[in-house]
Amino acid sequence: MTKLQNDRFLRALNREPVDVTPVWMMRQAGRYLPEYRATREKAGSFMDLCRNAELACEVTIQPLDRYPLDAAILFSDILTIPDAMGLGLSFNTGHGPKFDRPVRTAADVQNLPLPDPEGELQYVMNAVRTIRKELDGRVPLIGFSGSPWTLATYMVEGGGTKEFGKVKGMMFSEPALMHQLLDKLAQSVTTYLNGQIAAGAQAVMIFDTWGGVLTPRDYQAFSLKYMQQIVDGLTRENEGRKVPVILYTKGGGQWLDKMAATGADCLGVDWTIDLADARRITGDKIALQGNMDPCILYSTPQRIREEVGNVLASYGKGEGHVFNLGHGIHPGIDPENVAAFIDAVHALSGQYHA
Ligand code: CP3
């Protein structure tokens, strides 16, 4: 196995010393990049792009060729699992994801198969293997999945939602059925992430995009419980190195203590909590990833640099910070502003490390 040339990201996740703060961006491969739009055009559709290992590898590496990012993230989507379960996924430009066969009844839940990572999802494993080979030790590769609760929201609603009426309707009126669905998803996510790790993912991240729409009690019972099940079932070491796990609940700032208790290595945090508070709440015992408001990237290089300084200062001195946006980068961002952002993190963070 090739030696990692840049292991800042893995070192920060393990709270080990680094020279400067590592940085990557959620959705770093995406529509804000003209080269991404060109490759997507060539692929046909978004899912065709995900299913083609060579093209998925190409778009994964595009942002790394532009910016000195400290990690690559597998190009794929969280909805590959429900797609492999037979729900019929499509992405229609401007309308987001859509499922032809949403999950609504007990029979729907009972009939869901548990997808095989080297079967229906082999295209994802192939993408991981291809990307690792192409990266050749340049930076570590992050694998990922959605959280069971977040996957369930799309599966029950049949697509994106602002109200969560159907999925919360099921949760409140048929909690046992919702638990059955979440348990199946937790099992599927565990084998899927372990498949990605076996294929070469060097860290994994669980995206709980919609955990923050729950009450504190329901968050624990319907989202965190199943992320805990996944963390307990993950391969934690591979190729003689620890495989760190990052948990990210958007809007989860008030539950960081409970998230930290899962045994994850790092918590992703959005911009609605100050990193100094996040660090205090978690007892400075777990790495933190975040948390600049992605909308800052609509401003100017000067304002971006100032905000990078604010975020670095709020984390303060010491190890365990991975710089990121608090959520994914928007498609309308100017790639020049991204350059200013990434450069500022490396230029301004040396003073926070011994
Ligand atoms: O971060 C990365 O660069 C890796 C790739 C990645 C994508 N989706 C690519 C993508 C990751 C990590 C995801 C995760 C994902 N997908 C999440 C969780 C992360 C989060 O943002 O909280 C969610 C909720 C999804 C579901 C999903 N997929 C949505 C809501 C959309 C947007 C639909 C739209 O039209 O904007 C997608 C599609 C998608 N996934 C795109 C990309 C680059 C855009 C597709 C395109 O090219 O048009």
Side-chain angles (χ1 to χ4, degrees), residues 24-31 36 40 46 49 73-79 91-97 144 150 154 207 209-210 248 250 327-328 331:
W24 69 280
M25 280 186 303
M26 290 193 260
R27 292 280 178 100
Q28 63 190 22
R31 282 175 296 191
Y36 169 82
R40 187 186 184 285
F46 171 70
L49 179 52
I73 180 160
L74 162 69
F75 188 82
S76 188
D77 199 79
I78 63 165
L79 302 179
F91 284 92
N92 306 307
T93 321
H95 298 278
F144 72 92
T150 292
Y154 288 96
F207 286 88
T209 309
W210 300 122
Y248 166 74
K250 181 160 183 288
H327 198 204

Side-chain angles (χ1 to χ4, degrees), residues 50-71:
C50 293
R51 287 204 174 88
N52 184 321
E54 303 303 323
L55 295 183
C57 175
E58 186 179 306
V59 296
T60 299
I61 294 183
Q62 283 169 351
L64 299 162
D65 285 343
R66 258 193 199 252
Y67 314 113
L69 292 157
D70 296 297

Side-chain angles (χ1 to χ4, degrees), residues 51 55 68 88 100 127 131 156 199 230 240 242 292-293 296 323 330:
R51 287 204 174 88
L55 295 183
D100 295 334
I131 298 162
V156 175
I230 296 164
K242 238 180 93 185
M292 195 172 81
D293 183 340
I296 281 285
F323 210 111
H330 298 189

Side-chain angles (χ1 to χ4, degrees), residues 105-338:
T105 66
D108 291 342
V109 173
Q110 274 137 30
N111 291 334
L112 287 174
L114 301 181
D116 175 0
E118 292 291 353
E120 308 88 314
L121 289 165
Q122 193 172 45
Y123 68 94
V124 181
M125 308 305 136
N126 289 341
V128 172
R129 287 185 278 261
T130 305
I131 298 162
R132 265 303 292 278
K133 207 162 147 230
E134 189 64 30
L135 281 173
D136 196 28
R138 205 164 142 186
V139 290
L141 175 62
I142 308 166
F144 72 92
S145 168
S147 73
W149 167 254
T150 292
L151 293 177
T153 64
Y154 288 96
M155 293 168 75
V156 175
E157 297 286 341
T161 175
K162 286 198 169 75
E163 278 108 22
F164 302 91
K166 295 188 179 73
V167 68
K168 285 193 177 182
M170 185 191 282
M171 178 181 79
F172 288 129
S173 57
E174 295 180 89
L177 183 60
M178 180 56 79
H179 282 300
Q180 256 181 47
L181 172 58
L182 293 168
D183 185 69
K184 269 195 167 176
L185 286 167
Q187 290 181 51
S188 302
V189 169
T190 306
T191 54
Y192 181 59
L193 287 177
N194 283 339
Q196 292 183 31
I197 292 166
Q202 291 148 296
V204 292
M205 173 154 167
I206 301 171
F207 286 88
D208 186 26
T209 309
W210 300 122
V213 305
L214 293 167
T215 65
R217 179 199 287 265
D218 293 328
Y219 174 72
Q220 288 203 58
F222 292 92
S223 184
L224 191 61
K225 175 183 170 192
Y226 295 95
M227 294 201 281
Q228 174 79 67
Q229 212 167 294
I230 296 164
V231 171
D232 290 342
L234 285 179
T235 309
R236 300 298 282 271
E237 208 182 297
N238 196 37
E239 303 173 31
R241 212 168 169 144
K242 238 180 93 185
V243 181
V245 184
I246 308 164
L247 288 190
Y248 166 74
T249 293
K250 181 160 183 288
Q254 49 180 334
W255 304 317
L256 293 176
D257 53 338
K258 297 188 174 65
M259 294 172 74
T262 57
D265 300 281
C266 177
L267 301 180
V269 283
D270 70 22
W271 60 90
T272 61
I273 181 164
D274 194 277
L275 284 181
D277 293 329
R279 206 171 166 181
R280 188 174 37 73
I281 291 165
T282 54
D284 207 10
K285 288 195 175 75
I286 185 167
L288 296 174
Q289 175 175 280
N291 71 341
M292 195 172 81
D293 183 340
C295 290
I296 281 285
L297 298 175
Y298 287 111
S299 70
T300 60
Q302 197 186 348
R303 181 67 186 88
I304 292 165
R305 195 177 163 90
E306 182 190 323
E307 194 59 23
V308 166
N310 291 340
V311 172
L312 286 169
S314 72
Y315 189 87
K317 276 195 180 358
E319 308 313 328
H321 184 206
V322 173
F323 210 111
N324 205 314
L325 303 174
H327 198 204
I329 183 170
H330 298 189
I333 296 300
D334 180 348
E336 285 302 314
N337 282 357
V338 175

